[in-house]
Amino acid sequence: MNLKIAHLGPPGTYAEQAAFFYINWLQTYEGTTAKKSFELCPYPTIAQSLQAVIKRIAEIAVVPVENSIEGSVNMTLDSLWQLDNLKIQLALVLPIQHTLVSRCTSLDKIKTVYSHPQALAQCQEWLSQFLPNVNLIASNSTTEALQKLEAELTTAAISSNRAAQLYNLPILAQGINDYPENCTRFWVVSTEENNTNNTIDCTHTSLAFSVPANVPGALVKALEVFAHLGINLTRIESRPTKRSLGEYLFYLDIEADVNTEMMKSALGELKNYTEILKIFGSYRVLPIS
């Protein structure tokens, strides 16, 4: 069986690194995967990676959802809400160390720096100190611009060490992210319910909901459901509904398995206070060393 895994490309992105870790984890913990082969499928955007799963072009997508410095990845959250039947299988936490890659011989000759908006933001203090006058240009991924560097000798990109090696490009500076403990959480997503190794319990559940009307207490009533049952929320995020200014969706990460009796009770009560409720699934969180 050939398992196709969609991720943000081109090859060399942090999403691809997370996908490699997922494959290694499957081969270690899932005995049934011994007969599987894996194919990594890079896509230009996160949304296209998730759409590939919906269209059955790929079975799995590995997408970034949150960075420890810059917060949530909005394209992932919006796509999960807009696309039906996507389920989180696993969360992977990947340490992120950014590298400045260029054919330039010195920093003072660089005029333009490309990278994904999250990477540019994660290095803004370093860029302000060492490259204060360069033009910063956002790209779809940390590797998209690397193919331009061969011909453009005044251009640089922020990427990973692995990407620099993969594209055979010189590294001018390493570890340029502003905070050394920089990490990104990725979700492994499919259209199937979580079918990973049941000997390791799921520890988190993610969901999103809209409220029937923008009135006092609408959000409080929904959140109090979990407070009254002593269920811990590890993240609360709001995003526009895109229907009307001032209307929001609310995303929650919850420290509990959806299959526990307490969570079943909480979700049953939560439906009384929500307009649309989407359960993205329960999963475990694995750090990538």
Side-chain angles (χ1 to χ4, degrees), residues 67-70 94-98 122 177-184:
N67 176 262
S68 59
I69 297 174
E70 280 303 298
L94 176 69
I96 303 294
Q97 185 180 68
H98 290 307
Q122 291 161 28
N177 35 280
D178 297 329
Y179 298 90
E181 299 303 319
N182 188 17
C183 60
T184 295

Side-chain angles (χ1 to χ4, degrees), residues 13-15 17-18 64 66-69 93-99 118-119 122-123 142 158-160 175-186 288:
T13 61
Y14 295 104
Q17 290 185 35
E66 183 183 19
N67 176 262
S68 59
I69 297 174
V93 180
L94 176 69
I96 303 294
Q97 185 180 68
H98 290 307
T99 296
Q118 284 257 345
Q122 291 161 28
C123 303
T142 54
I158 296 174
S159 192
S160 66
I176 66 172
N177 35 280
D178 297 329
Y179 298 90
E181 299 303 319
N182 188 17
C183 60
T184 295
R185 181 163 56 112
F186 291 83
I288 299 176

Side-chain angles (χ1 to χ4, degrees), residues 135-272:
N135 187 23
L136 303 178
I137 299 180
S139 56
N140 284 328
S141 73
T142 54
T143 58
E144 184 182 62
L146 294 186
Q147 292 147 347
K148 302 178 182 179
L149 302 190
E150 192 69 40
E152 299 181 13
L153 300 182
T154 60
T155 297
I158 296 174
S159 192
S160 66
N161 281 1
R162 179 179 177 276
Q165 295 167 3
L166 195 63
Y167 291 85
N168 194 29
L169 291 166
I171 293 173
L172 289 190
Q174 296 187 42
I176 66 172
N177 35 280
D178 297 329
Y179 298 90
E181 299 303 319
N182 188 17
C183 60
T184 295
R185 181 163 56 112
F186 291 83
W187 278 340
V188 177
V189 178
S190 78
T191 56
E192 304 295 327
E193 292 291 341
N194 197 334
N195 60 358
T196 49
N197 191 341
N198 291 326
T199 61
I200 306 176
D201 292 335
C202 294
T203 58
H204 290 73
T205 297
S206 291
L207 57 83
F209 62 83
S210 60
V211 293
N214 184 13
V215 297
L219 177 59
V220 170
K221 289 176 181 177
L223 299 181
E224 280 181 343
V225 169
F226 300 101
H228 289 159
L229 291 170
I231 299 173
N232 189 41
L233 305 181
T234 58
R235 184 174 67 105
I236 304 172
E237 183 86 10
S238 64
R239 291 287 299 149
T241 62
K242 303 180 180 13
R243 296 183 305 197
S244 176
L245 184 65
E247 285 190 5
Y248 293 92
L249 311 170
F250 301 96
Y251 293 79
L252 304 185
D253 288 348
I254 302 164
E255 205 169 35
D257 187 338
V258 73
N259 295 309
T260 63
E261 290 303 318
M262 190 176 293
M263 272 294 288
K264 289 178 182 177
S265 176
L267 294 177
E269 188 178 349
L270 181 63
K271 290 178 182 178
N272 297 324

Side-chain angles (χ1 to χ4, degrees), residues 3-7 15 18-19 22 25-26 43 46-66 73 75-77 79-92 185-196 206 279-284:
L3 188 70
K4 292 184 177 180
I5 302 175
H7 64 86
Y22 174 64
W25 181 82
L26 275 180
Y43 285 86
I46 294 168
Q48 286 175 292
S49 301
L50 292 168
Q51 288 163 2
V53 175
I54 293 293
K55 295 175 182 178
R56 308 287 182 177
I57 300 172
E59 287 75 35
I60 295 287
V62 178
V63 292
V65 65
E66 183 183 19
V73 180
M75 185 179 289
T76 297
L77 296 181
S79 297
L80 274 175
W81 179 263
Q82 293 161 3
L83 300 172
D84 291 328
N85 303 319
L86 289 174
K87 298 294 182 181
I88 302 167
Q89 303 287 311
L90 191 68
L92 306 170
R185 181 163 56 112
F186 291 83
W187 278 340
V188 177
V189 178
S190 78
T191 56
E192 304 295 327
E193 292 291 341
N194 197 334
N195 60 358
T196 49
S206 291
I279 313 296
F280 300 130
S282 289
Y283 52 91
R284 68 220 58 175

